[in-house]
């Protein structure tokens, strides 16, 4: 037996993280038997596991999906842990010894917050000399800032993360990062910490198009850093920011997330000056939850284009998000300007759809050779226009792709090149928008954690990557905001808009839907434990708003955002489905989820309370929107999809038939927006309309996913018609080429086309429905999914009239197998772990 994937709080050997309920999780592989029969977890304060502080003893109730450690943890302490397991066949094994190290926790800081004259835009570099007195056995840096920071020791970068201390509501809480600097500090030396503006101090959100607009959260830079050293003789020392630190101004003249950065290499650093103590408003400090944002990939340009306007443009070949490196060697005083865009128009560089975001980099040369790498900004782009270099050499440029560290979960390929490209586009769209916060888009003057987008994409995301820790941080942000808004869920999390509406149906329901999805995918109830109050608060907020006169219906809602069926042809953002209907449906859906979460957490009374509420709401929906003969009176595709998805219809046969009619009326073209699209194909399939689901997916003209690809898309667009059929942009007001919401189609490709369907009754993929639906236009599928319960594999292939289905069920799991159009007698039913292959002649084949 092998015990692998050992994690605590869904993190591998984390240093300085808030580990929450410190739940451990692991996988059993290559074991004899069908399932684990018992396990034992031990925690110690030494790597040899001799000083054990917790021993669960051998127990049958330890779930590999998440077992909370009942340990009281000390700050700045490393713990080691190990799990041993036994299977029902008596196979035994032990994991390697894993560790986690706590951060500052609630320990008071000896360091003081320092600052400088923040009215000067030129960015500060804070520094001090560290002089360890004796040989060091261990050194840690605990650091955070108001603004963004990059820390260096003797000129060498500490860690490799970007955009620290990351994106939260800086009025509420601030994350502290921990770095192991033992090796770097061995010789002592100079610590320098550069600050930039970022989310805290830079222009952000829609408040102003003025590139010099003041920061969103604050105007004053702040830095707090503490170095804890343990010497080889066991004594300790602490060095922290205080008035002995110095500050000077470096070469970065300005920066912000939307407009980019300005580097003037001709400027000599200013003289070092004393720092002052920061006395302004301070949020609470919190050990990090954010995953590291790192450079994950480098992409070389695929082509250099000299445009009809004479611009030198590099095509990276892939829309993505991140920074870049550019080698330059230009005469002193010459300015190099790098601008980025997502598409070309009329063969020329184009970026009007970035709205007020300048998305550029300005470099003033000092005559020496430099490699430009932005520090305190990021971009969403495919094309790069470079000015100020006579002959741009593609080899001098690399796109540096940034996103949060997320382990790959699923890989999938099909026999259809359009679908493969679509799956790639969805994956790139996700990663471009998983830079610490699940954002709507990475390029224009927006890049915020829109709740609706995050909600509709959350289960798709979990098919691509391991997202537990990523969403845990976002959901922590959400609950913290709700605490300040009486339960309402701001439409963007963290809250950036000053006059924003206090939630909208579908968007605010993220507070219930995302935790439930994370629970469904990972099977660890800790996420529900963390989010339950927020889930309840959201539903209670709606109940209060609803009052006695159904006020939720008339509250502000985005509805079926960007749906194509608004009867007013000039309305290009709001879909045609009645917002009141959508509001009622999601009110009920969230109430259902609160009840389900309450059941999981053993909160029986709350379960009953919210079940009763959801029953009342179901009745209200039926009374209001269904006619006495069972017709849904909201006559749109999205309304019918919602009715079937959420079990609202009193006459399912009728609603199904009406949904098909809705499609026939529109020439079998989808008309759905952000709300209807993610559920569209799943609902069609669940209701016996796989043929229609495939038609929608495979359609090559407008509107659809392949239409975008045929027009060159390498990520998923915000609008069905972001580009018109002749390749011109349809509008510039709100038109991103890298929005993941419609990428949620990939979930259906996984669940139905491939046929790996997680069951709500068995969270964490312990039991899965294997139910592929082959289609001749797809030909074959090969997919592997590293689930919380082990590696599932599934594939199928059509060969003439024959179909072969292959799948692997991991240890401890079972599969309910539903072979498509299988003749009687070939259905294997429920199977346990193992690898299976079945070839047969189906009674019917789509396509
Ligand atoms: C964003 C969205 C978001 C929407 C809300 C847009 O500006 O980019 O994706 O959900 O506003 O209506």
């Amino acid at each position: 037996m092998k015990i692998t994937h050992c994690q605590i709080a869904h993190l591998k050997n984390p240093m300085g993280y808030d580990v929450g309920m410190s739940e451990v999780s692991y996988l059993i592989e290559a074991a004899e038997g069908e399932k684990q029969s018992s396990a034992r977890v031990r925690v110690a304060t030494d790597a040899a596991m001799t000083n054990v502080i917790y021993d669960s003893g051998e127990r049958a109730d330890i779930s590999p999906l998440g077992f909370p450690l009942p340990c009281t943890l000390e700050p700045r302490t490393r713990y080691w842990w190990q799990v041993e397991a036994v299977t029902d066949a008596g196979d035994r094994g032990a994991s390697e010894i894993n560790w986690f190290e706590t951060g500052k926790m609630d320990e008071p800081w000896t360091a003081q917050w320092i600052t400088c004259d923040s009215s000067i835009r030129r960015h500060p570099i804070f520094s001090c000399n560290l002089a360890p007195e004796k040989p060091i056995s261990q050194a840690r840096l605990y650091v955070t800032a108001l603004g963004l920071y990059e820390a260096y020791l003797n000129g060498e970068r500490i860690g490799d993360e970007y955009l620290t201390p990351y994106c939260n509501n800086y009025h509420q809480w601030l994350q502290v990062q921990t770095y192991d600097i033992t090796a770097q500090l061995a010789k002592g030396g100079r610590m320098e910490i550069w600050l930039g503006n970022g989310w805290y101090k830079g222009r952000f959100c829609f408040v102003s198009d003025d590139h010099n607009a003041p920061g969103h959260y604050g105007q004053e830079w702040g830095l707090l850093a503490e170095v804890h050293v343990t010497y080889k003789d066991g004594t300790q020392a602490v060095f922290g920011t205080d008035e002995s630190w110095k500050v000077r101004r470096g070469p970065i003249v300005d920066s912000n997330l939307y407009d980019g950065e300005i580097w003037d290499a001709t400027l000599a650093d200013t003289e070092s000056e004393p720092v002052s103590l920061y006395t302004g408003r301070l949020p609470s400090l919190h050990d990090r939850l954010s995953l590291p944002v790192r450079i994950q990939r480098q992409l070389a340009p695929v082509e250099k284009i000299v445009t009809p306007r004479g611009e030198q443009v590099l095509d990276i070949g892939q829309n993505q998000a991140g920074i870049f490196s550019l080698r330059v060697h230009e005469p002193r005083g010459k300015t190099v300007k790098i601008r980025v865009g997502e598409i070309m128009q009329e063969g020329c560089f184009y970026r009007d759809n970035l709205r007020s975001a300048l998305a550029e980099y300005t470099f003033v040369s000092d005559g020496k050779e430099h490699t430009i790498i932005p520090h305190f900004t990021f971009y969403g782009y495919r094309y790069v226009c470079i000015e100020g270099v006579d002959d741009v050499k593609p080899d001098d440029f690399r796109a540096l792709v940034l996103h949060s560290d997320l382990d790959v979960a699923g890989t999938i390929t099909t026999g259809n090149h359009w679908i493969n490209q679509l799956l790639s586009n969805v994956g790139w769209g996700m990663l471009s928008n998983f830079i610490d916060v699940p954002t709507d888009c990475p390029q224009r003057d927006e890049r915020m954690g829109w709740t609706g987008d995050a909600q509709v994409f959350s289960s798709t995301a979990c098919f691509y990557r391991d997202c537990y820790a990523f969403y845990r941080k976002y959901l922590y942000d959400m609950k913290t905001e709700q605490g300040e808004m009486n339960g309402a869920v701001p439409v963007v999390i963290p809250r950036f808009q000053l006059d924003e509406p206090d939630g909208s149906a579908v968007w605010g329901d993220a507070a219930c839907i995302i935790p439930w999805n994370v629970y469904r995918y990972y099977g660890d109830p800790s996420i529900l434990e963390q989010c339950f109050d927020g889930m309840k608060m959201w539903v209670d907020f709606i109940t209060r708003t609803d009052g006695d006169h159904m006020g939720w219906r008339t509250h502000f809602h985005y509805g079926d955002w960007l749906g194509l069926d608004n009867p007013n042809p000039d309305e290009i953002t709001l879909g045609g489905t009645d917002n009141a209907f959508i509001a009622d449906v999601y009110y009920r859906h969230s109430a259902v989820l609160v009840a389900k979460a309450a059941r999981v957490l053993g909160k029986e009374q709350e379960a009953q309370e919210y079940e009763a509420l959801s029953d009342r709401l179901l009745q209200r929906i039926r009374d209001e929107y269904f006619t006495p003969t069972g017709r849904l009176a909201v006559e749109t595709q999205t309304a019918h999809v919602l009715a079937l998805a959420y079990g609202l219809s009193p006459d399912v046969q009728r609603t199904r038939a009406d949904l098909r009619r809705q499609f026939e009326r529109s020439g079998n073209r989808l008309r759905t927006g952000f709300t209807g699209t993610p559920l569209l194909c799943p609902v069609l399939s669940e209701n016996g309309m796989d043929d229609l689901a495939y038609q929608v997916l495979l359609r090559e003209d407008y509107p659809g996913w392949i239409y975008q690809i045929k027009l060159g898309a390498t990520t998923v667009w915000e609008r069905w018609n972001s580009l018109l059929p002749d390749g011109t942009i349809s509008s510039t007001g709100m038109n991103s080429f890298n929005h993941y919401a419609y990428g949620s189609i990939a979930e259906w490709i996984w669940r139905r086309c491939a046929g790996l369907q997680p069951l709500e009754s068995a969270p964490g993929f312990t039991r899965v429905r294997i139910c592929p639906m082959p289609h001749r236009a797809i030909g074959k599928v090969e997919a592997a999914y590293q689930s919380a319960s082990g590696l599932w594999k599934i594939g199928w292939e059509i060969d003439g009239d024959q179909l072969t289905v292959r799948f692997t069920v991991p240890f401890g799991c079972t599969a309910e197998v539903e072979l498509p159009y299988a003749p009687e007698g070939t259905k294997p039913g429920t199977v346990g772990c193992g690898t299976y292959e079945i070839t047969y002649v189906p009674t019917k084949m789509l396509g």
Side-chain angles (χ1 to χ4, degrees):
M1 165 201 298
K2 276 204 300 204
I3 299 184
T4 63
H5 291 76
C6 291
Q7 294 186 322
I8 179 151
H10 299 262
L11 300 159
K12 175 121 189 76
N13 294 345
M15 184 187 290
Y17 284 75
D18 169 2
V19 291
M21 298 176 67
S22 355
E23 70 276 19
V24 295
S25 52
Y26 57 93
L27 281 182
I28 297 177
E29 290 176 332
E32 279 169 35
E34 291 273 310
K35 55 182 190 329
Q36 170 186 294
S37 58
S38 65
R40 174 184 183 191
V41 181
R42 287 180 310 134
V43 183
T45 53
D46 61 328
M49 300 291 299
T50 48
N51 186 20
V52 173
I53 58 160
Y54 173 71
D55 185 343
S56 69
E58 200 167 308
R59 280 164 54 169
D61 63 345
I62 292 178
S63 165
L65 295 171
F67 174 68
L69 296 177
C71 299
T72 308
L73 303 176
E74 297 293 325
R76 295 184 296 99
T77 306
R78 185 172 285 213
Y79 298 91
W80 284 262
W81 64 278
Q82 188 179 33
V83 57
E84 296 155 59
V86 188
T87 71
D88 54 356
D91 195 0
R92 285 180 173 270
S95 71
E96 287 185 342
I97 293 170
N98 307 284
W99 56 265
F100 63 99
E101 187 176 312
T102 54
K104 289 277 297 176
M105 295 177 70
D106 290 332
E107 181 189 71
W109 290 68
T110 53
Q112 293 171 290
W113 277 97
I114 56 172
T115 188
C116 58
D117 180 351
S118 302
S119 64
I120 303 172
R121 298 191 82 85
R122 199 168 158 192
H123 288 4
I125 301 173
F126 292 87
S127 62
C128 86
N129 287 321
L130 295 177
E133 291 150 10
K134 305 175 245 185
I136 289 176
S137 80
Q138 175 180 298
R140 298 282 183 268
L141 167 65
Y142 302 91
V143 56
T144 190
L146 295 171
L148 300 178
Y149 75 81
E150 275 183 9
Y152 295 81
L153 200 57
N154 295 321
E156 188 189 12
R157 185 106 133 72
I158 296 176
D160 56 359
E161 299 182 37
Y162 282 83
L163 305 170
T164 49
Y166 300 117
C167 175
N168 332 87
N169 183 329
Y170 282 75
H171 288 156
Q172 293 165 337
W173 69 295
L174 193 56
Q175 301 189 62
V176 176
Q177 283 78 34
T178 304
Y179 300 93
D180 180 354
I181 54 167
T182 312
Q184 278 171 298
L185 192 62
K187 298 183 294 294
R190 190 170 177 75
M191 177 168 284
E192 293 192 333
I193 302 184
W194 296 41
L195 295 195
N197 292 323
W199 292 281
Y200 166 76
K201 192 176 167 309
R203 155 173 116 89
F204 201 73
C205 103
F206 310 131
V207 219
S208 171
D209 286 355
D210 175 359
H211 306 294
N212 296 319
H216 182 76
Y217 286 116
Q219 311 312 323
E220 211 180 341
W221 275 304
L223 173 66
L224 182 70
E226 215 168 81
V227 174
H228 285 248
V229 177
T230 306
Y231 295 117
K232 288 207 166 127
D233 64 8
T235 57
Q236 300 192 340
V238 183
F239 310 94
T241 41
D242 60 18
E243 281 166 302
S244 71
W245 281 55
K246 296 277 182 288
V247 64
R248 65 182 199 278
R249 305 290 161 162
I252 300 180
V253 176
D254 207 354
S255 74
N256 75 48
L257 295 172
Y258 292 158
D259 298 319
E261 198 167 283
I262 304 171
W263 176 291
D264 189 342
T266 64
L267 295 176
D269 283 2
T270 61
E271 287 297 311
S272 285
E273 290 175 11
V275 300
S276 42
L277 293 182
Y278 175 90
T279 52
R281 173 178 184 168
L282 279 174
S284 65
L285 298 179
H286 198 120
D287 288 334
R288 68 183 299 166
L289 286 175
S290 283
L291 294 171
V293 172
R294 294 198 171 101
I295 296 172
Q296 308 281 353
R297 252 174 105 158
Q298 303 202 7
L299 301 177
V302 293
E303 192 187 355
K304 175 177 170 181
I305 303 162
V306 178
T307 73
R309 279 194 224 124
E311 301 149 321
Q312 299 187 78
V313 174
L314 299 177
D315 177 6
I316 307 307
Q318 176 62 55
N319 204 12
Q320 46 81 43
I323 46 178
F324 49 75
S325 66
L326 176 68
R327 206 164 44 223
V328 285
H329 196 173
E330 295 298 321
R332 187 178 171 84
K334 191 155 182 205
T335 296
V336 175
K337 194 161 258 200
I338 304 153
R339 294 182 300 144
V340 298
E342 292 185 289
I343 54 166
M344 301 282 276
Q345 288 284 275
E346 294 173 352
C348 292
F349 181 71
Y350 182 88
R351 34 146 276 179
D352 290 358
N353 65 315
L354 272 47
R355 301 194 302 218
S356 78
L358 293 178
E360 64 185 25
Y361 196 97
T362 306
F363 171 77
V364 185
S365 178
D366 58 356
K368 299 188 187 134
E369 182 174 321
H370 284 275
T371 298
I372 302 168
I373 300 179
H375 294 259
F376 299 120
T377 192
F378 71 93
Y379 311 86
Y381 68 100
R382 169 173 171 173
Y383 297 96
V384 188
C385 180
I386 299 173
E387 288 163 29
V389 175
D390 290 341
D391 180 17
V392 172
K393 303 263 184 313
D395 211 35
D396 287 337
F397 185 92
R398 289 288 178 275
L400 307 178
V401 178
L402 284 181
H403 57 81
S404 295
D405 260 358
L406 301 154
D407 285 346
V408 173
T411 52
I412 176 167
T413 50
T414 75
N416 181 306
H417 67 282
W418 297 123
I419 301 304
N420 291 342
Q421 184 65 47
L422 170 60
L423 289 162
S424 160
N425 291 7
V426 177
W428 275 103
M430 166 177 174
L431 297 176
S432 315
N433 284 296
F434 272 50
I435 297 181
D436 195 39
V437 169
T439 53
D440 57 335
C441 58
Q443 73 298 75
R444 67 178 179 224
D445 52 357
E446 198 147 355
R447 314 185 201 180
M448 290 185 278
W450 280 95
T451 48
D453 309 41
Q455 183 267 98
V456 299
F457 191 73
S458 52
S459 36
T460 310
C462 297
F463 267 120
Y464 276 84
R465 299 271 169 157
D466 178 352
C467 296
Y468 188 103
F470 181 81
Y471 282 128
R472 176 175 166 239
K473 185 263 173 187
Y474 183 63
L475 293 168
Y476 179 87
D477 283 328
M478 192 178 292
K479 190 170 146 187
T480 313
E481 296 286 13
Q482 283 184 272
E484 291 199 354
M485 292 188 67
N486 216 359
V489 178
V491 290
V492 298
I493 302 281
R495 176 157 42 125
F496 277 106
Q497 285 169 277
L498 301 175
D499 56 347
E500 69 179 286
D502 50 4
S504 149
V506 183
W507 271 246
D509 295 294
C512 295
I513 297 174
I514 301 179
W516 188 250
N517 281 344
V518 173
Y519 172 64
R520 281 195 310 131
Y521 275 73
Y522 302 101
D524 179 359
S526 314
I527 196 71
L528 298 179
E529 196 83 59
Q530 176 191 308
C531 298
F532 187 70
D533 289 346
M535 297 172 78
K536 239 172 58 164
M537 275 197 283
W538 168 246
V539 174
D540 294 350
F541 161 78
I542 302 178
T543 304
R544 281 197 308 278
T545 312
D546 203 47
D548 296 330
H549 304 285
M550 290 174 269
W552 185 235
R553 291 182 180 167
T554 50
H555 188 273
F556 166 81
H557 297 296
Y558 292 111
D560 192 22
W561 187 246
L562 302 187
L564 299 174
D565 47 6
N566 196 302
N568 175 359
D570 297 331
E571 177 51 73
I572 60 165
T573 51
L574 297 177
T577 304
D578 180 3
N579 276 1
F581 171 74
I582 293 178
D584 275 356
V585 169
Y586 276 84
Y587 178 14
R588 171 177 178 270
H589 182 50
S590 280
V592 168
L593 295 183
V594 173
K596 285 184 181 177
R599 276 263 133 70
V600 174
L601 299 174
K603 298 175 191 282
E604 194 47 39
Q605 197 196 324
E606 278 143 317
Q608 285 178 18
E609 205 182 300
Y610 287 87
E611 261 159 23
L613 172 64
S614 62
D615 288 347
R616 284 199 301 278
L617 291 168
L618 176 60
Q619 197 50 53
R620 161 168 145 179
I621 290 167
R622 289 188 171 164
D623 290 348
E624 177 77 27
Y625 306 102
F626 287 88
T627 66
T629 52
R631 180 176 62 86
L632 175 56
V634 189
E635 298 212 328
T636 63
Q637 292 176 359
T638 290
H640 285 75
V641 164
L642 298 186
L644 290 168
Y646 298 125
L648 309 175
S649 173
D651 182 348
V652 174
Q653 293 305 335
R654 165 124 204 211
T655 309
R656 283 179 183 157
D658 288 349
L659 175 58
R660 197 177 263 281
R661 228 179 333 264
Q662 289 285 339
F663 268 89
E664 281 161 8
R665 258 187 242 150
S666 58
N668 284 343
R669 288 177 157 76
L670 61 77
R671 317 282 291 149
T672 50
F674 273 35
T675 300
T677 305
L679 299 169
L680 174 59
C681 285
V683 161
L684 290 173
S685 286
E686 286 297 321
N687 289 279
M689 290 178 268
D690 284 303
D691 57 328
L692 197 48
Y694 269 115
Q695 265 191 56
V696 168
L697 173 71
L698 294 170
R699 117 160 282 130
E700 296 190 11
D701 59 357
Y702 174 80
W705 293 270
I706 297 179
Y707 166 78
Q708 306 184 2
I709 295 169
K710 288 186 130 179
L711 284 165
T714 57
T715 41
V716 177
W717 298 347
E718 178 172 22
R719 292 174 178 275
W720 290 118
N721 70 344
S722 285
L723 288 184
L724 299 174
D726 65 1
T728 54
I729 190 162
S730 60
S731 58
T732 53
M734 199 190 75
N735 201 351
S736 132
F737 291 84
N738 204 349
H739 245 65
Y740 54 49
Y742 292 152
S744 48
I745 183 65
E747 184 190 359
W748 178 83
I749 297 175
W750 271 96
R751 292 167 69 108
R752 187 56 171 167
C753 172
L756 187 69
Q757 191 154 147
L759 295 172
E760 195 173 80
S761 56
F765 281 76
T766 51
R767 189 178 177 92
V768 159
R769 211 168 125 206
I770 297 284
C771 55
M773 183 44 68
H775 190 287
R776 287 194 187 277
I778 306 289
K780 62 176 180 187
V781 170
E782 216 171 302
Y785 181 65
Q786 182 64 56
S787 78
S789 297
L791 182 66
W792 287 86
K793 288 187 185 171
I794 184 153
W796 53 260
E797 193 165 359
I798 299 172
D799 182 7
D801 291 340
Q802 281 200 335
L803 175 69
T804 301
V805 178
R806 303 181 188 94
F807 57 94
T808 300
V809 182
F811 174 83
C813 299
T814 47
E816 291 174 11
V817 185
E818 284 172 29
L819 293 176
Y821 301 116
E824 274 312 304
T826 41
K827 294 182 186 174
T830 299
V831 298
C833 89
T835 294
Y836 303 83
E837 177 170 324
I838 305 138
T839 300
Y840 64 99
V841 178
T843 55
K844 180 176 166 182
M845 192 89 85
L846 296 181

